[in-house]
Amino acid sequence: MAFATRSPYVCLSCRSSLAKTFRRSASSQNVEPPARPSIAPKPILDIKHIRRHPDLYWRSCEDRKYTEQIASPHRIVELFEQWTNLTEGARGLRERNNRLQATLENARSTEGRGDASAGSTNSTEEILEEARTVKRDLVKVEKKEEKLNSQIQRLALQLPNLIGPETPIGEEPRVVDYINTESMDYDFYDPEKIRKGYKGAPRPDGEIGKSHVDIGTELQLLDFVAAGTSSGWGWYFLTNEAALLEQALVQYALSVAMKRGWMVVSPPSVVYSHISEACGYQPRDQGGKQQVYSIKQRGTERYKPELCLAGTAEIPLAAMKVNKVLEESSLPIKVVGASRCYRAEAGARGIDTKGLYRVHEFTKVEMFAWTMPDERNKPTPGATTSHSEAVFDEILSIQTEILETLNLHCRILEMPSRDLGASATRKRDIEAFFPSRLSKYEGWGEVTSASICTDYQSRRLRTRVRPSKSGSNLEWPHTVNGTALAVPRVLAALLENGWDEENNTVLIPEVLRPWMGGMDYIRKKS
């Protein structure tokens, strides 16, 4: 005789605890951790424009040497054709499914009145089976449609911005102008004469002029040895007057921007990884080198969205308007903020990365602005520049004022296509003169940059603008960004250009002295 077995009694509290344990176990094995929070912006890309002009986007990838993306524009066209064919096939299935549903409704109403015969019941079962088959086929097609849409979106997100007409194609920048060159005591425009005529004598290691590393060590301003012990290569300690100079440079840059009406912001240095990528900063560059520091979260926190350290304040500043609708009357919105910045790839050791020139962490003052789309300015009578170009010119003017009053010798460059980031359609750099870099780079080294990004970032961050004209559709604002001042490189340039070999002192620019307690020179410690 068989006896029915009973499960052991488990109280309600224990049952609840066990259920939670099983759910956690199942989720850890089968559920992928979410990559984005629910509040993450959903990018709205102009896929139609890519499909209609694939050669434009192919050319942008080719001119930038984005080899991994070069086939993507035409691949998007192919995938869209596949999606169109599937959609046409699905339309027939949907129409058939609707007819079957209508037939079933009629059959059910007939059964409800008691008019159904055995033959009609069999017919209903056949219709039901066909409806199930059509539904299964439709689900398969819809999954394929969704997969194709995802592929198109992924490829489009990886494409760089189009290249503006002002940008030189290739690798060579175009010199646009110079700053403070009239005060130099040699032919600034002839690199060979610079090498022969510069006041610093050639050094045994081939450098011309004393390096900021040597000056900083001698005056007890820089400590790379201690930083190597605490953090590794690519970090540094600023000590004594150098630490004060950092704060003075930040305050001076902020004051210049504030004077022009820029709103001061103190942004975070930690952002969601999807925000960084939306701004055009990928975890790895085209060569596969790591660019971004990702923050690993342990334990149950691994299910949280990934965070990273911002490589520039441009990223958190752009995120201030995520999922927002701006009013045309409020534009341009111009903000400036100082932050710590983090770059994973500091470069190989050598003169181009020596000392403070290329480091993993640094303080930078960044300017960021939202403007109306440029197209709206074209019909304006007498207009000579677009909205974004007007702000771009203002950023360059602020950069020039800062570097000019710091008494640095500089040149302004229109950067070539190979030097553009993914988001930029146009970019200008300002390079300062470093005596220690004469042997390899004719003395030049980048200290600021400025970029126009059109709607690349606003579409990915879902930032829109409502035009003043009633009834107009929402538009995508353009974004512009630029460095007001990057502390380590400017500090290095000040040490090298202000160095007095005879007196072992460094001249402090007059504009910085209010934040240096009135100090005019940095002297050797007794």
Side-chain angles (χ1 to χ4, degrees), residues 212-213 223-237 289 293 343-361 489:
H212 68 275
V213 177
D223 192 340
F224 294 99
V225 175
T229 302
S230 68
S231 311
W233 184 82
W235 272 272
Y236 54 95
F237 282 100
K289 293 181 180 178
Y293 284 111
R343 306 285 173 89
E345 178 52 48
R349 302 190 189 194
I351 189 173
D352 53 337
T353 60
K354 187 175 181 179
L356 296 176
Y357 193 78
R358 197 177 298 278
V359 292
H360 290 300
E361 180 182 5
R489 292 188 182 181

Side-chain angles (χ1 to χ4, degrees), residues 436-498:
S436 67
R437 293 171 65 84
L438 270 169
S439 63
K440 191 172 181 181
Y441 295 98
E442 299 176 359
W444 299 114
E446 177 200 339
V447 289
T448 73
S449 67
S451 300
I452 297 176
C453 298
T454 61
D455 61 2
Y456 181 97
Q457 294 172 331
S458 58
R459 283 182 173 275
R460 286 161 173 77
L461 296 172
R462 209 179 176 92
T463 303
R464 291 167 291 178
V465 60
R466 181 181 290 107
S468 300
K469 186 178 178 181
S470 178
S472 299
N473 294 328
L474 295 178
E475 298 185 26
W476 301 101
H478 286 189
T479 59
V480 191
N481 66 81
T483 312
L485 191 142
V487 169
R489 292 188 182 181
V490 171
L491 197 154
L494 290 176
L495 292 181
E496 293 191 14
N497 287 280

Side-chain angles (χ1 to χ4, degrees), residues 72-255:
S72 296
H74 292 95
R75 177 62 179 157
I76 287 172
V77 174
E78 294 172 4
L79 291 172
F80 181 75
E81 289 175 357
Q82 294 177 29
W83 180 86
T84 302
N85 293 335
L86 271 177
T87 303
E88 290 174 356
R91 186 181 297 114
L93 286 173
R94 290 189 181 98
E95 290 172 355
R96 178 60 181 158
N97 185 58
N98 292 337
R99 287 195 297 271
L100 290 171
Q101 293 298 328
T103 303
L104 284 172
E105 288 298 324
N106 291 334
R108 289 192 185 104
S109 63
T110 302
E111 288 174 5
R113 292 196 303 269
D115 299 335
S117 63
S120 64
T121 301
N122 292 335
S123 176
T124 300
E125 286 300 323
E126 291 173 0
I127 294 170
L128 272 171
E129 184 57 36
E130 185 180 356
R132 293 188 191 104
T133 302
V134 170
K135 185 65 176 177
R136 284 194 296 269
D137 292 343
L138 192 55
V139 167
K140 290 178 183 178
V141 171
E142 287 173 346
K143 284 183 177 179
K144 290 179 180 178
E145 285 178 336
E146 185 179 348
K147 184 178 179 180
L148 287 171
N149 265 325
S150 297
Q151 286 180 284
I152 290 171
Q153 184 79 355
R154 179 178 57 82
L155 292 174
L157 280 170
Q158 293 172 353
L159 290 175
N161 205 343
L162 297 176
I163 295 173
E166 303 86 356
T167 299
I169 302 303
E171 300 181 2
E172 292 300 317
R174 184 175 70 250
V175 178
V176 177
D177 202 357
Y178 290 87
I179 301 170
N180 283 340
T181 55
E182 66 282 351
S183 62
M184 300 186 78
D185 56 359
Y186 48 81
D187 190 343
F188 190 77
Y189 306 95
D190 189 333
E192 191 58 36
K193 288 184 180 179
I194 292 177
R195 291 190 183 93
K196 292 177 179 178
Y198 187 69
K199 60 185 178 183
R203 296 167 55 78
D205 57 8
E207 295 180 14
I208 301 177
K210 198 162 188 175
S211 165
H212 68 275
V213 177
D214 298 330
I215 297 169
T217 303
E218 186 173 333
L219 298 182
Q220 298 178 32
L221 304 174
L222 308 174
D223 192 340
F224 294 99
V225 175
T229 302
S230 68
S231 311
W233 184 82
W235 272 272
Y236 54 95
F237 282 100
L238 299 180
T239 58
N240 297 310
E241 293 91 343
L244 295 177
L245 266 177
E246 176 177 46
Q247 302 306 316
L249 287 166
V250 168
Q251 291 302 317
Y252 177 58
L254 289 174
S255 70

Side-chain angles (χ1 to χ4, degrees), residues 171-436:
E171 300 181 2
E172 292 300 317
R174 184 175 70 250
V175 178
V176 177
D177 202 357
Y178 290 87
I179 301 170
N180 283 340
T181 55
E182 66 282 351
S183 62
M184 300 186 78
D185 56 359
Y186 48 81
D187 190 343
F188 190 77
Y189 306 95
D190 189 333
E192 191 58 36
K193 288 184 180 179
I194 292 177
R195 291 190 183 93
K196 292 177 179 178
Y198 187 69
K199 60 185 178 183
R203 296 167 55 78
D205 57 8
E207 295 180 14
I208 301 177
K210 198 162 188 175
S211 165
H212 68 275
V213 177
D214 298 330
I215 297 169
T217 303
E218 186 173 333
L219 298 182
Q220 298 178 32
L221 304 174
L222 308 174
D223 192 340
F224 294 99
V225 175
T229 302
S230 68
S231 311
W233 184 82
W235 272 272
Y236 54 95
F237 282 100
L238 299 180
T239 58
N240 297 310
E241 293 91 343
L244 295 177
L245 266 177
E246 176 177 46
Q247 302 306 316
L249 287 166
V250 168
Q251 291 302 317
Y252 177 58
L254 289 174
S255 70
V256 174
M258 288 171 60
K259 184 177 65 179
R260 305 285 192 96
W262 292 66
M263 182 182 76
V264 180
V265 175
S266 181
S269 292
V270 176
V271 296
Y272 285 126
S273 294
H274 67 264
I275 294 292
S276 179
E277 292 178 20
C279 290
Y281 293 87
Q282 299 298 321
R284 294 185 180 275
D285 65 11
Q286 290 296 305
K289 293 181 180 178
Q290 183 183 352
Q291 297 293 300
V292 177
Y293 284 111
S294 296
I295 299 176
K296 298 291 184 183
Q297 302 187 75
R298 301 183 181 279
T300 56
E301 291 186 344
R302 68 179 177 273
Y303 300 112
K304 292 183 178 180
E306 186 181 83
L307 295 167
C308 68
L309 298 177
T312 167
E314 172 193 343
I315 299 166
L317 292 177
M320 289 179 72
K321 304 300 181 184
V322 165
N323 291 326
K324 298 285 181 64
V325 177
L326 313 177
E327 299 297 333
E328 180 177 0
S329 58
S330 70
L331 299 184
I333 298 174
K334 304 179 295 183
V335 295
V336 58
S339 74
R340 298 292 277 181
C341 305
Y342 300 87
R343 306 285 173 89
E345 178 52 48
R349 302 190 189 194
I351 189 173
D352 53 337
T353 60
K354 187 175 181 179
L356 296 176
Y357 193 78
R358 197 177 298 278
V359 292
H360 290 300
E361 180 182 5
F362 57 97
T363 300
K364 181 160 71 82
V365 180
E366 182 76 7
M367 296 175 283
F368 191 90
W370 295 264
T371 76
M372 285 303 293
D374 291 346
E375 293 79 6
R376 293 176 55 81
N377 199 44
K378 289 178 181 177
T380 306
T384 56
T385 58
S386 68
H387 292 284
S388 58
E389 285 175 341
V391 175
F392 183 70
D393 291 342
E394 183 179 346
I395 287 174
L396 288 167
S397 174
I398 290 171
Q399 293 172 336
T400 300
E401 179 180 345
I402 291 171
L403 296 171
E404 190 171 49
T405 52
L406 291 176
N407 301 318
L408 294 177
H409 313 297
C410 305
R411 66 177 183 177
I412 304 172
L413 304 176
E414 189 76 50
M415 299 309 291
S417 57
R418 287 288 296 274
D419 201 71
L420 295 180
S423 62
T425 186
R426 182 188 181 190
K427 179 171 175 270
R428 276 194 178 183
D429 283 0
I430 299 182
E431 295 183 334
F433 178 71
F434 293 80
S436 67

